[in-house]
Amino acid sequence: MKIHHFLSLFSTYFLVDGVNIEDRAGQFFSSGHTNNWAVLVCTSRFWFNYRHVANTLSVYRSVKRLGIPDSHIVLMLADDMACNHRNPKPATVFSHKNMELNVYGDDVEVDYRGYEVTVENFLRILTGRLPPSTPRSKRLLSDDRSNILIYLTGHGGNGFLKFQDSEEISNVELADAFEQMWQKRRYNELLFIIDTCQGASMYERFYSPNLMALASSQVGEDSLSHQPDLAIGVHLMDRYTFYLLEFLEDIHPASKTNMNDLFKVCPKSQCVSTPGHRTDLFLRDPGSVLITDFFGSVRKVELTMETINLTDPIEQLESAESGELQKEMHTYADQLPVSEIIHQKPKQKDWHPPDGFILGLWTLILLVFFQTYGVKHLKHIF
Amino acid sequence: MATTEVERRRGQLAALSIAAVVIIVGVPLWWRTTETYRAWLPVSQIKELAKLQLHLSADVEVVFARGTVTPEQQKKVPLTQTQNMEHRVDEDTALSYRYETRYRTATIMEEDALNQPTAAEADLSLHTLSESPSGSLVVYVIPESSSLLPQNVDVYIGQRRTALLRIGSQMRVGKTLEQLLAHMEPRIKQVLHVMSFSHTDITAALSNRVRISPGNKESIADSMRAFKSSPGYEITFSLLNPDPKSHRLHWDIEGAVETYIQPLLTKLSPVANFSIDSQTLYYAMLGVNPRFDSSRSTYTLNADSLAHVINPVEARLGSNAASSNPVLNFLLYIPDAHHSPLYIHDHKKQQVPTNAFHSPRWGGIMVYNVNEFYEVDTVFPVDINIDMAKVMGVFLAQLRLLLGVQSSTPPPGFLVAPCGNAGLADWELDRLMWSRSVENIATATTTITSLAQLLDQIGNIVINDNIAQQVSSAVTSLQLAVSELEAGNLGFALQYSKEAILSSERAFFDPSLLHLLYFPDDQKFAIYIPLFLPMCVPILLSLLKIVSEARQKHREKKPKKD
């Protein structure tokens, strides 16, 4: 039984090996990236925006399944749906009705949660301008050989995306942020996917090289949600991401599907809106770009052919137990320098004119004028 | 009549004085209260740096041993030659290389050193005589009759900064010194190409600044493999034991790191700081099932399946949360008892002798088989002591590759000495320092110029004093680094370039530089119009009335004058 298993494995490997090795070597050098990052953002809060969290989590799930580790994923969820009071099935977020697929899973690592998902934090992550105390898991530590996938979902309009129902990011700011990333060579290639209403307006202003963008709807169109679940009571997913998830479930780490197939996901008949894409800034031909170049993390590998002949024996370190135990003085790092804070002078705030200043100034001017000259002299002015 | 005249005059005066107050007091007040604080930046110096002109110079000393020059040639030696080569990489970047070659004859002590039986010993004794400063080279020319080098080898490259070059006999070469030098020149060029900076290395180091389409696949792989220049790196050694029930593993990692790895890192300390840690992971399996090769009765991992090994393991590796330095992971995998022995096969189905592979910019994995340490029917678990010298030999080779110590194949007729216990030859360190200095300078200039451009474009960003200070110090360090590079002081150039990188990165990535205030023009109008328009309309109209009345009076006066 085992031998049969091994023989079948052997034969499949043989067949796979038959496919030219030159081809694979060619692909090694065609993509030019050595690591993958993903920034997945859900920008809306409140229970009825359940579908946005489910969108983001389904992309997160696909990206993790295809190999990108948590240390290379920055996940931002603006609200907690899994532990929301209104969730009839706590600790789950479903993407299919009848609760078929729980995208919340067992090991979700959310890096920015709740009110930490702001436009400022998002731009700080992209440009790298985070305060020095930010931990590694909250940073995008990409270099010039990183392929980055950015996925945004929420409510949007013509030229903006709404964050947390209180602020918005404009397409110009986003394009400027990508340009700053390019100046510092913080990416090799970037794939930008947005699933909001009028999503295509968000990639109109891009001007940096090596950007490819997909959106779920054109300007003037709304992105629609897929299907409600009657037990949970809200719409579970958006259409575009639903069909995107279906497409990605068929991809495995060694698959050779390319971007042209991704552009065909969710045609108008299924999505009602017209998905759009933009590839003019991208240097390579989209047909030669693999899905796993962005969604997965296929490592390049080289065999080590050399070794260094080391002949010295290992020196035995002098153990400290020979003498008395050396007691090192450890000091606890002062986390909150209270003495500095209480003796600090109050910060110089910028001077603002008092409230109602303009109104008061006018009233004063008008009063003085009318008092001096009387109302009947208005005709001298006008 | 007079009162209306007086009142009209008063009206005019009131309108004029209100207009005067608005213009003289109001406009400056509005300007001052709405401007952002922008500290002064040395923009002109930054523009100068944008046009990068790098001059690299190396000192070469060519020493003629006895028997290589005739007495009449010897009279003309010592002499000095300078060679200059200019390259224009693109419109903003230019490189020039200068080699200063000094020719002289060998001293008696050097002749004694060259009489040693083997090249390695000669190299060692030559090194004890004099230490060459970093960045320079010494080439000893030995006669054809010398027995230091084997038959087919003409050049021996030592562990320090010396090379031994064997030339043909004087009969073949020629009588005059010029002919001798012309004969030696191609060989010396090759030596310089291997031991000192080469055009391909330097242009590869400039890749941040200039998008060069690389020539061949090898150079693409080389540029992708090594980590970018960074002030610090973290190295993590992990021992993966998937089968603790069978194997109880002991590795003296502290001693091994201290003995084998630390000398290399100490030697590399001018280039970067390193921090090392180690861990043991239990029940960590590889993500790929190995195949059983019945012909050799071993388990094999195919080269193509290696790419999928790393991802499942990486999730469990962890890293130091406090620093943002790049991490190099070195994994030692001991196969479980059911899948031992495990060998890695290359594309031609041959066993890889080191049984290891590495991933560019990530680290390396070595598979260490322990099945020969015990019999089939021993009592499990078995205590196994891992041979750290063998393991560290492989890891050291991978570390050299990942840090960018290129060991390209030398030209034919060259023999390169093995790199010794430090793991790095002095000339390899020099090459690394050259390319790191150039890379740092290129990156820092790009950062500073793009920061200046950004701050210029977006008028709303506040430029604090500390940012201006960082920018100024980065500019100063860059200028110093370029001048030290031109003078040939490699150590100082690298140090200044590192300072420049630190300052420029700190300035660029300062958290206060976030530009969130994007105001399109229609929003600006919408804010200012309700504030200023109602006030300005009566003033403007009254001013217009004054002007039209004055013109009318002037016109009335005119016919009276005529």
Side-chain angles (χ1 to χ4, degrees):
Chain A
M1 183 56 197
K2 252 195 191 170
I3 298 176
H4 190 67
H5 185 57
F6 277 128
L7 275 177
S8 60
L9 266 178
F10 192 84
S11 56
T12 46
Y13 264 104
F14 196 72
L15 284 171
V16 167
D17 278 349
V19 173
N20 32 0
I21 298 167
E22 301 297 291
D23 195 18
R24 217 153 312 162
Q27 269 166 358
F28 177 123
F29 299 114
S30 72
S31 69
H33 73 281
T34 59
N35 53 23
N36 285 82
W37 285 82
V39 179
L40 311 172
V41 184
C42 158
T43 59
S44 29
R45 51 173 42 242
F46 306 130
W47 172 246
F48 50 83
N49 288 324
Y50 183 101
R51 59 189 184 281
H52 297 139
V53 172
N55 288 349
T56 318
L57 284 172
S58 53
V59 177
Y60 172 78
R61 169 208 154 76
S62 311
V63 146
K64 254 179 90 156
R65 188 176 54 83
L66 290 171
I68 304 186
D70 271 316
S71 53
H72 284 228
I73 303 178
V74 179
L75 178 63
M76 304 172 74
L77 296 180
D79 203 357
D80 184 8
M81 298 303 169
C83 300
N84 197 306
H85 302 299
R86 293 166 74 168
N87 192 349
K89 295 257 180 216
T92 59
V93 173
F94 291 108
S95 66
H96 285 57
K97 69 171 186 215
N98 301 327
M99 304 185 197
E100 283 167 17
L101 181 60
N102 173 18
V103 290
Y104 200 64
D106 286 332
D107 57 346
V108 175
E109 186 186 296
V110 182
D111 299 305
Y112 287 83
R113 57 192 71 181
Y115 287 108
E116 289 173 353
V117 178
T118 57
V119 174
E120 181 182 339
N121 280 345
F122 178 58
L123 289 178
R124 283 193 191 279
I125 291 171
L126 289 183
T127 54
R129 300 207 167 100
L130 289 158
S133 57
T134 318
R136 252 187 122 96
S137 59
K138 283 188 167 186
R139 287 181 188 259
L140 178 64
L141 294 169
S142 54
D143 54 28
D144 64 320
R145 294 263 172 219
S146 306
N147 276 8
I148 307 184
L149 166 73
I150 298 189
Y151 177 81
L152 298 174
T153 183
H155 289 288
N158 189 357
F160 66 91
L161 170 63
K162 187 171 73 160
F163 266 70
Q164 301 268 14
D165 213 28
S166 65
E167 52 180 4
E168 48 198 46
I169 184 173
S170 64
N171 48 4
V172 180
E173 282 177 325
L174 197 57
D176 283 341
F178 286 155
E179 174 63 17
Q180 290 188 47
M181 285 176 81
W182 174 250
Q183 290 285 331
K184 273 309 273 174
R185 300 285 185 270
R186 275 166 70 80
Y187 66 91
N188 177 38
E189 288 167 350
L190 203 146
L191 177 64
F192 175 78
I193 304 183
I194 183 161
D195 187 352
T196 63
C197 305
Q198 308 197 51
S201 64
M202 289 304 281
Y203 61 65
E204 271 173 1
R205 301 292 197 107
F206 289 170
Y207 56 94
S208 318
N210 271 345
L211 294 176
M212 196 191 303
L214 280 106
S216 59
S217 54
Q218 301 292 333
V219 174
E221 285 180 348
D222 288 336
S223 271
L224 300 177
S225 58
H226 186 64
Q227 37 176 219
D229 180 293
L230 298 176
I232 299 181
V234 285
H235 286 259
L236 293 182
M237 282 272 270
D238 277 330
R239 283 176 189 243
Y240 182 74
T241 313
F242 182 82
Y243 290 108
L244 181 69
L245 176 65
E246 233 178 56
F247 173 78
L248 288 174
E249 290 284 306
D250 288 332
I251 310 278
H252 56 92
S255 93
K256 300 277 172 251
T257 340
N258 59 34
M259 280 293 163
N260 283 333
D261 302 320
L262 189 62
F263 296 152
K264 295 194 199 111
V265 163
C266 206
K268 193 167 165 110
S269 51
Q270 283 174 330
C271 254
V272 184
S273 59
T274 322
H277 55 92
R278 181 177 177 178
T279 54
D280 58 320
L281 293 166
F282 204 74
L283 289 177
R284 287 196 288 155
D285 171 42
S288 69
V289 179
L290 300 179
I291 300 283
T292 50
D293 279 351
F294 288 103
F295 284 91
S297 172
V298 182
R299 298 275 183 184
K300 312 284 192 288
V301 155
E302 287 175 334
L303 296 167
T304 309
M305 289 306 182
E306 301 169 353
T307 175
I308 297 181
N309 200 6
L310 295 168
T311 47
D312 292 344
I314 297 182
E315 308 158 1
Q316 292 305 318
L317 299 170
E318 289 296 314
S319 52
E321 297 159 311
S322 54
E324 72 279 2
L325 280 168
Q326 298 245 345
K327 285 202 179 132
E328 273 182 39
M329 281 300 294
H330 292 286
T331 51
Y332 198 62
D334 204 1
Q335 307 280 345
L336 188 66
V338 178
S339 52
E340 276 180 39
I341 294 175
I342 56 179
H343 291 297
Q344 219 175 32
K345 292 200 182 61
K347 205 163 63 150
Q348 293 282 357
K349 283 213 174 80
D350 295 329
W351 182 81
H352 293 291
D355 294 333
F357 175 69
I358 306 274
L359 207 59
L361 187 65
W362 284 34
T363 319
L364 182 67
I365 291 174
L366 287 172
L367 271 176
V368 165
F369 179 74
F370 286 129
Q371 211 216 345
T372 323
Y373 296 107
V375 186
K376 65 183 190 307
H377 291 275
L378 264 177
K379 65 179 187 298
H380 287 286
I381 304 294
F382 290 103
Chain B
M1 269 313 283
T3 43
T4 33
E5 186 57 38
V6 164
E7 279 179 17
R8 213 165 53 94
R9 225 167 241 298
R10 252 198 225 155
Q12 284 179 353
L13 203 59
L16 279 173
S17 56
I18 288 178
V21 164
V22 164
I23 293 173
I24 296 174
V25 176
V27 168
L29 190 67
W30 166 71
W31 190 259
R32 280 297 309 281
T33 49
T34 54
E35 76 175 1
T36 47
Y37 177 70
R38 294 172 75 98
W40 178 84
L41 290 177
V43 184
S44 53
Q45 292 181 15
I46 295 175
K47 276 210 180 61
E48 271 176 31
L49 280 173
K51 301 258 176 223
L52 192 61
Q53 292 255 348
L54 281 178
H55 305 272
L56 284 87
S57 69
D59 288 329
V60 184
E61 217 179 312
V62 180
V63 181
F64 291 103
R66 201 182 312 137
T68 46
V69 282
T70 59
E72 61 208 23
Q73 287 170 340
Q74 211 166 352
K75 280 184 221 144
K76 294 200 202 146
V77 172
L79 78 102
T80 313
Q81 274 182 351
T82 313
Q83 258 181 347
N84 269 324
M85 277 188 290
E86 306 263 341
H87 291 275
R88 173 145 284 269
V89 182
D90 72 350
E91 61 205 17
D92 284 328
T93 322
L95 295 167
S96 84
Y97 305 123
R98 198 181 67 201
Y99 297 104
E100 270 202 30
T101 322
R102 278 192 306 133
Y103 298 92
R104 65 174 175 86
T105 48
T107 62
I108 305 206
M109 290 189 290
E110 287 172 341
E111 293 285 348
D112 283 336
L114 286 169
N115 278 334
Q116 303 275 335
T118 61
E121 289 174 28
D123 188 35
L124 189 58
S125 43
L126 282 170
H127 172 70
T128 50
L129 285 177
S130 67
E131 175 108 25
S132 341
S134 81
S136 64
L137 284 180
V138 187
V139 181
Y140 289 95
V141 184
I142 52 180
E144 199 178 3
S145 51
S146 162
S147 59
L148 277 180
L149 303 177
Q151 272 302 101
N152 51 347
V153 171
D154 286 331
V155 182
Y156 174 82
I157 298 186
Q159 286 179 0
R160 306 274 164 20
R161 295 186 176 99
T162 52
L164 301 175
L165 169 63
R166 178 162 63 187
I167 59 167
S169 66
Q170 289 146 346
M171 297 303 128
R172 282 191 280 139
V173 173
K175 289 287 171 67
T176 64
L177 189 60
E178 284 74 28
Q179 285 177 328
L180 178 65
L181 293 180
H183 173 77
M184 280 186 346
E185 176 153 335
R187 275 294 183 197
I188 296 212
K189 254 198 167 55
Q190 281 179 331
V191 170
L192 283 174
H193 198 263
V194 172
M195 287 179 80
S196 180
F197 50 81
S198 66
H199 187 57
T200 37
D201 286 345
I202 301 292
T203 42
L206 286 173
S207 65
N208 243 2
R209 198 183 154 80
V210 177
R211 273 284 170 186
I212 310 169
S213 49
N216 52 349
K217 287 192 172 144
E218 231 183 71
S219 51
I220 305 179
D222 281 344
S223 69
M224 274 171 59
R225 182 188 308 123
F227 276 88
K228 282 267 151 201
S229 167
S230 163
Y233 296 96
E234 285 180 40
I235 303 180
T236 307
F237 291 101
S238 310
L239 175 64
L240 301 176
N241 187 358
D243 197 4
K245 289 200 201 76
S246 320
H247 304 134
R248 208 179 289 149
L249 299 169
H250 303 279
W251 69 338
D252 183 14
I253 185 68
E254 280 190 43
V257 162
E258 192 61 38
T259 318
Y260 301 126
I261 306 284
Q262 196 57 45
L264 172 65
L265 302 183
T266 319
K267 205 161 179 183
L268 282 174
S269 54
V271 177
N273 296 325
F274 291 90
S275 83
I276 308 182
D277 41 34
S278 65
Q279 60 180 345
T280 312
L281 288 175
Y282 294 104
Y283 294 107
M285 303 290 303
L286 295 180
V288 180
N289 275 330
R291 287 161 37 212
F292 184 71
D293 185 2
S294 46
S295 62
R296 291 176 248 217
S297 67
T298 59
Y299 286 88
T300 59
L301 270 180
N302 214 348
D304 302 318
S305 55
L306 292 174
H308 306 292
V309 166
I310 297 181
N311 281 329
V313 178
E314 187 172 5
R316 304 191 51 190
L317 284 179
S319 62
N320 188 357
S323 84
S324 312
N325 287 332
V327 179
L328 287 87
N329 290 301
F330 291 103
L331 275 59
L332 183 62
Y333 180 74
I334 315 290
D336 49 329
H338 296 290
H339 288 109
S340 284
L342 180 61
Y343 290 104
I344 299 178
H345 283 193
D346 60 12
H347 294 290
K348 301 195 198 89
K349 306 280 184 284
Q350 300 298 316
Q351 271 185 14
V352 176
T354 56
N355 221 16
F357 62 98
H358 57 272
S359 176
R361 303 216 183 161
W362 183 79
I365 301 185
M366 179 179 177
V367 178
Y368 186 84
N369 290 312
V370 294
N371 58 313
E372 57 244 13
F373 287 113
Y374 52 87
E375 315 302 319
V376 183
D377 50 353
T378 44
V379 174
F380 286 123
V382 184
D383 279 307
I384 296 171
N385 279 319
I386 299 180
D387 176 14
M388 292 311 287
K390 182 172 155 211
V391 168
M392 282 302 172
V394 174
F395 282 161
L396 206 55
Q398 289 177 339
L399 183 60
R400 276 165 52 99
L401 281 173
L402 289 170
L403 286 175
V405 179
Q406 307 287 21
S407 47
S408 47
T409 41
F414 273 58
L415 177 65
V416 181
C419 51
N421 282 338
L424 192 68
D426 283 357
W427 53 270
E428 286 177 327
L429 176 63
D430 285 348
R431 278 178 64 115
L432 195 61
M433 285 169 80
W434 286 117
S435 55
R436 282 295 160 103
S437 309
V438 171
E439 192 182 334
N440 285 349
I441 291 176
T443 314
T445 44
T446 324
T447 310
I448 290 286
T449 40
S450 67
L451 179 64
Q453 204 184 352
L454 173 75
L455 293 174
D456 192 42
Q457 244 177 354
I458 303 176
N460 276 336
I461 290 189
V462 176
I463 306 177
N464 286 329
D465 282 330
N466 67 327
I467 297 174
Q469 191 211 346
Q470 296 284 352
V471 171
S472 304
S473 78
V475 167
T476 325
S477 303
L478 271 173
Q479 288 167 338
L480 280 170
V482 172
S483 61
E484 292 287 351
L485 208 56
E486 190 170 350
N489 300 330
L490 193 50
F492 285 121
L494 183 64
Q495 192 190 335
Y496 284 128
S497 68
K498 272 168 59 174
E499 284 172 23
I501 279 261
L502 276 172
S503 313
S504 60
E505 300 269 311
R506 219 175 277 149
F508 192 91
F509 288 120
D510 191 274
S512 72
L513 282 182
L514 195 67
H515 161 57
L516 273 186
L517 310 169
Y518 170 68
F519 290 131
D521 287 330
D522 47 349
Q523 285 189 20
K524 272 199 195 124
F525 281 129
I527 292 174
Y528 282 133
I529 283 179
L531 290 177
F532 290 121
L533 191 64
M535 173 181 68
C536 288
V537 163
I539 298 177
L540 270 174
L541 286 176
S542 56
L543 282 178
L544 283 173
K545 207 159 182 284
I546 294 175
V547 164
S548 66
E549 280 179 2
R551 228 187 255 163
Q552 218 173 7
K553 228 189 253 175
H554 187 73
R555 245 181 261 135
E556 283 168 12
K557 271 193 191 157
K558 257 193 159 180
K560 282 186 191 168
K561 274 187 185 168
D562 290 339

